[in-house]
Amino acid sequence: MKIAPYLNVYLLFFEPTGFFVRQKQFTNEHRKNYYYFFFKIDVLEDPAIRNVIVLQTVLQEVRNRSAPVYKRIRDVTNNQEKHFYTFTNEHHRETYVEQEQGENANDRNDRAIRVAAKWYNEHLKKMSAENQLQVVFITNDRRNKEKAIEEGIPAFTCEEYVKSLTANPELIDRLACLSEEGSEIESGKVIFSEHLPLSKLQQGIKSGTYLQGTFRASRENYLEATVWVHGDTEENKEIILQGLKNLNRAIHEDIVAVELLPRNQWVAPSSVVLHDEGQNEDDVEKEEERERILKTAVNEKMLKPTGRVVGIIKRNWRPYCGMLSKSDIKESRRHLFTPADKRIPRIRIETRQASTLEGRRIIVAVDGWPRNSRYPNGHFVKNLGEVGDKETETEVLLLEHDVPHQPFSQAVLSFLPKMPWSITEKDMKNREDLRHLCVCSVDPPGCTDIDDALHCRELENGNFEVGVHIADVSHFIRPGNALDQESARRGTTVYLCEKRIDMVPELLSSNLCSLRCNVDRLAFSCIWEMNHNAEILKTRFTKSAINSKASLTYAEAQMRIDSATMNDDITTSLRGLNKLAKILKKRRIEKGALTLSSPEVRFHMDSETHDPIDLQTKELRETNSMVEEFMLLANISVAKKIHEEFSEHALLRKHPAPPPSNYEILVKAAKSKNLEIKTDTAKSLADSLDRADSPSFPYLNTLLRILATRCMMQAVYFCSGMDNDFHHYGLASPIYTHFTSPIRRYADIIVHRLLAVAIGADCTYPELTDKHKLADLCKNLNFRHKMAQYAQRASVAFHTQLFFKSKGIVSEEAYILFVRKNAIVVLIPKYGLEGTVFFEEKDKPKPRLIYDDEIPSLKIEDTVFHIFDKVKVKIMLDSSNLQHQKIRMSLVEPQIPGISIPMDTSNMDINEPERKKKKLEK
């Protein structure tokens, strides 16, 4: 066996409590010795740890125990700068061990590692006799350590080893903060009740005493959470938890067991906005005082099933991004970490680098949460960069939303076509040549990943031929290879304000698959014959080759349609498409399709600094609707076809109807303006919204549609064989799928493969007709799609902060979207910006607030606020809290003494603390 020829070679082994690595330099006196030691993956990823040989035993066991950790080890192994190598010790004659009678798998693995350690000790001595290399075995497992010593292998604990690395003291911060269950309460009173053991939880769930579900913390109130109960039962689907003791150390996305409280202890969802801003980490009395604010008298109809967490079934912790809140105690090593995600509690860590890490974005991992601690314990993992830096903040939002964004590996890139590429005779097999057609694409400005193109021409019989041509990505991405697996893992392209995280490598996304003009491209075409009333007479699907005659923006296409002088083939095609699209949209709306609203913004960037210099809501033209109508029609047509051919294996998309309770806020808000909104069907909702008009308040209808959007459920992918409800509520369509964006959505690639098999243009493969595997794929795609949306919103929020940082304080008109017990949530139409105006501030007298949930309304002193009321607010960037810089809004009008701020705010500077700090630094 060949050993990598490095002076400080490491060896990584597996052991039930962690990992083993061999590294040079245990003490300054033994610089030439080599050692094996145990520690967590966070330490392995540190730049100081290099030249590692990973045992096959490690990879197998880690893969079985933790897929995320396994992936992290593989990523480190693929990083050429780290020099990590693998050794198949299970297939090496000198290191393979048989499992003995009565020996369990863990003990066998422990023994295999000790055998490998001993063999490497002897092997390295033979290779370098003059250096007398020595192996040291590091483990936190007492029995394993004792056995290693008995076998003549020097053994140490992980902490002993890491503390000895005097050249890298920062590694100590990465050690997990471990505590034994029995000895966790060393001092201080017990805050939380003990978690029941898993065996008791399982018995309780089986008997119905407890309910199992996913813990979801609130973004707006750190003392409230809900548990979404697993299973098919409709009763008690969602359980409310209020108060620290009832939350009982659960963290967002944990799988928990809850006990329902008696009905007389049920509560209503709180309307109070509460953020954890206290510095005293164990001030529980203050928490109890804040909890009392939540419990106010409410209508009995508003009470929801309420419970408490009695145990944790599965922890779903991940590394968290955020900032260090440095302790006020001088020389203290204990500090609080404030996560970027407000649903995650603060984490107590020990670090010697507090001064260095202050004002930086860092990653922290949770280790445990003792019963006597207000916050969980954790350890420092990584320093990401300075807060406010665009690259750092982008990295944070990608990590926080679990967006895969590492460069594509060589294994993935190896499956790309060789350049220069052109369409061959083989490519044209089972494919129509449509390069003669006048095809064009219409997209937003700057779009390089062009998925779709269109054509429309009049036939000799007087009907129209309309074609939707979609990039044939499935031609380049074949099932099961590394490129396909990586695309499936990523699931979707993520569009940030200044960056695009591609689902497929750029050679495909912006070149070979992109339907750019004047180049030959492979496509998958859906072609209809329609009459002048947009009624479909024939539908056919074919793989094709096209040559787009123009790549237009929405504005350019609109200009051609509206021009009195342009009558070329492209313009004629666009006018035909636009005419038919209007008929299709009218018919769709008549069937009950919803026309909702959601404010979208566009940033104008400085060409040199790339900072936002203007912020506007996106303008929608007829051409936006034109493209949308034909994409919807293609998706519906394809959905019907693949379901006909694969009734059990079609990948479809559905939009569930919202439960009636979702509409309560919309109905109440409309009623406050003397309007009636009916919600029994999508058709009645659409008709109600169309009628909800006010000549004196033209923006009211848009506000109602924005609010209606918030009432909707999330649309999801599913496998037809695993569900019987296919209906898409928002589109009023009995069946729907995604076919039109395969460059940026993996779901569309699967749909292309299904359609290709259905028309005989390609062959099937086992996973394509395995409904259980398709269902698992859909689960990942739904998660990735949701995270992409959240990441995009976070990117918009960050760039909005940058915009107002340079713009300073501005005053704008706004409309109230929601009223809370101590705040109003407003929308500023000019910027498409939403924010909260608080009426209670620290160190200021509390105003008299009366909240009425039935209307709903909030009375402050003598002024009453209703949903949709027009107000005037001041907008500014609040940098006083570096943990969470935010857009802060204050009421200007109506004027309320002691609440509203004056129009002249020249003397007001909320960022004064930051400015003073910078002055001191200078």
Side-chain angles (χ1 to χ4, degrees), residues 23 30 126 212 313 375 440 484 533 600 606 637-638 644 656 731 744 829 837 879 909:
Q23 190 209 18
H30 299 87
K126 289 175 188 174
Q212 176 179 323
I313 292 163
Y375 297 109
C440 69
D484 183 46
N533 199 31
E600 288 188 69
D606 185 285
S637 298
V638 171
E644 281 171 14
L731 297 174
R744 61 185 178 90
V837 179
S879 302
D909 191 349

Side-chain angles (χ1 to χ4, degrees), residues 281-489:
E281 58 192 73
D282 291 313
D283 193 351
V284 182
E285 282 76 14
K286 229 171 198 177
E287 305 293 356
E288 290 171 354
E289 185 184 319
R290 299 192 93 177
E291 284 175 25
R292 282 193 285 274
I293 299 171
L294 306 181
K295 297 182 173 85
T296 54
V298 290
N299 189 320
E300 195 161 325
K301 289 179 184 175
M302 295 168 61
L303 298 177
K304 304 283 184 186
T306 308
R308 68 184 186 95
V309 172
V310 293
I312 309 293
I313 292 163
K314 184 189 175 190
R315 288 290 193 188
N316 277 323
W317 296 341
R318 58 176 176 82
Y320 300 107
C321 301
M323 292 185 67
L324 193 73
S325 301
K326 194 177 173 185
S327 172
D328 294 333
I329 303 169
K330 201 176 180 183
E331 304 300 324
S332 175
R333 289 183 180 178
R334 291 176 60 172
H335 308 275
L336 282 178
F337 164 81
T338 304
D341 187 342
K342 290 185 178 179
R343 296 170 299 184
I344 307 301
R346 290 180 167 197
I347 302 164
R348 183 194 287 116
I349 68 169
E350 290 195 24
T351 179
R352 295 153 184 78
Q353 307 176 67
S355 298
T356 307
L357 299 179
E358 196 175 14
R360 312 281 291 180
R361 291 287 188 191
I362 64 173
I363 297 177
V364 161
V366 176
D367 300 320
W369 196 338
R371 290 172 59 202
N372 65 325
S373 173
R374 167 66 182 82
Y375 297 109
N377 294 328
H379 66 275
F380 166 75
V381 173
K382 188 178 181 182
N383 183 348
L384 293 173
E386 190 177 349
V387 65
D389 174 75
K390 273 196 279 191
E391 288 297 319
T392 301
E393 296 300 335
T394 300
E395 179 73 6
V396 167
L397 72 88
L398 291 172
L399 289 169
E400 277 298 289
H401 297 99
D402 197 14
V403 175
H405 59 287
Q406 297 80 11
F408 289 98
S409 69
Q410 283 305 313
V412 169
L413 298 175
S414 69
F415 286 95
L416 293 175
K418 301 294 181 284
M419 297 299 286
W421 174 89
S422 61
I423 297 175
T424 65
E425 194 176 322
K426 185 182 175 184
D427 294 332
M428 292 304 295
K429 189 182 177 185
N430 298 321
R431 195 179 291 273
E432 277 189 55
D433 193 339
L434 303 179
R435 284 174 280 194
H436 62 285
L437 292 177
C438 187
V439 172
C440 69
S441 62
V442 185
D443 291 283
C447 179
T448 61
D449 53 342
I450 303 171
D451 285 287
D452 55 89
L454 299 152
H455 90 272
C456 176
R457 63 175 179 169
E458 195 164 352
L459 300 173
E460 290 180 0
N461 62 9
N463 292 329
F464 287 111
E465 179 188 85
V466 177
V468 166
H469 310 277
I470 306 300
D472 189 4
V473 182
S474 62
H475 173 84
F476 297 96
I477 301 180
R478 303 308 295 165
N481 67 25
L483 177 56
D484 183 46
Q485 289 171 4
E486 181 62 16
S487 304
R489 185 176 77 89

Side-chain angles (χ1 to χ4, degrees), residues 511-525:
N511 188 351
L512 302 185
C513 291
S514 184
L515 305 182
R516 302 185 301 185
C517 62
N518 303 319
V519 288
D520 292 346
R521 288 291 178 257
L522 301 178
F524 210 147
S525 301

Side-chain angles (χ1 to χ4, degrees), residues 181 193-202 205 210-215 227 241 246-258 308-317 369:
E181 189 69 27
S193 58
E194 190 172 0
H195 288 151
L196 297 178
L198 192 59
S199 57
K200 283 193 177 180
L201 295 178
Q202 289 169 338
I205 291 165
Y210 308 130
L211 296 167
Q212 176 179 323
T214 304
F215 182 90
V227 171
L241 312 176
N246 288 338
L247 301 181
N248 197 10
R249 297 173 286 156
I251 293 179
H252 185 65
E253 294 295 339
D254 282 350
I255 308 299
V256 300
V258 292
R308 68 184 186 95
V309 172
V310 293
I312 309 293
I313 292 163
K314 184 189 175 190
R315 288 290 193 188
N316 277 323
W317 296 341
W369 196 338

Side-chain angles (χ1 to χ4, degrees), residues 6 70 163 187 206 230 302 484 520 522 660 872 891 910:
Y6 293 95
Y70 174 76
K163 283 185 176 178
S187 62
K206 196 173 181 181
H230 301 167
M302 295 168 61
D484 183 46
D520 292 346
L522 301 178
K872 197 165 196 176
L891 187 69
I910 59 165

Side-chain angles (χ1 to χ4, degrees), residues 527-591:
I527 301 171
W528 304 279
E529 184 178 333
M530 292 181 177
N531 61 23
H532 285 253
N533 199 31
E535 292 167 334
I536 297 170
L537 307 175
K538 290 179 187 173
T539 304
R540 68 187 182 92
F541 307 97
T542 179
K543 289 232 175 183
S544 62
I546 66 166
N547 187 300
S548 173
K549 304 303 182 278
S551 297
L552 306 173
T553 65
Y554 290 116
E556 289 167 346
Q558 192 67 54
M559 183 189 71
R560 282 174 173 267
I561 291 169
D562 297 339
S563 171
T565 58
M566 297 184 80
N567 291 297
D568 57 278
D569 289 346
I570 294 170
T571 304
T572 303
S573 176
L574 288 169
R575 285 181 183 141
L577 289 166
N578 196 41
K579 176 192 166 188
L580 294 168
K582 287 178 181 177
I583 300 169
L584 288 169
K585 185 173 183 177
K586 183 172 180 287
R587 190 177 298 144
R588 201 165 51 79
I589 289 170
E590 283 170 356
K591 288 180 181 177

Side-chain angles (χ1 to χ4, degrees), residues 800-846:
T800 304
Q801 289 177 11
L802 291 179
F803 172 71
F804 283 104
K805 186 176 184 179
S806 60
K807 197 167 181 68
I809 301 172
V810 296
S811 178
E812 291 294 343
E813 288 181 345
Y815 294 96
I816 298 174
L817 277 183
F818 303 101
V819 292
R820 306 289 188 226
K821 284 184 179 177
N822 60 345
I824 55 173
V825 179
V826 300
L827 173 73
I828 298 162
K830 181 177 178 180
Y831 299 122
L833 179 64
E834 198 175 308
T836 305
V837 179
F838 291 95
F839 297 118
E840 289 180 337
E841 293 189 45
K842 283 182 186 176
D843 308 320
K844 283 191 177 181
K846 288 189 178 181

Side-chain angles (χ1 to χ4, degrees), residues 673 696-700 703 812-817 824 826-829 863-873 891-895:
K673 297 298 178 189
S696 61
F697 188 2
Y699 197 65
L700 175 62
L703 288 169
E812 291 294 343
E813 288 181 345
Y815 294 96
I816 298 174
L817 277 183
I824 55 173
V826 300
L827 173 73
I828 298 162
T863 304
V864 181
F865 292 99
H866 298 91
I867 292 180
F868 303 150
D869 281 358
K870 192 175 183 179
V871 295
K872 197 165 196 176
V873 296
L891 187 69
V892 175
E893 292 177 1
Q895 281 287 318

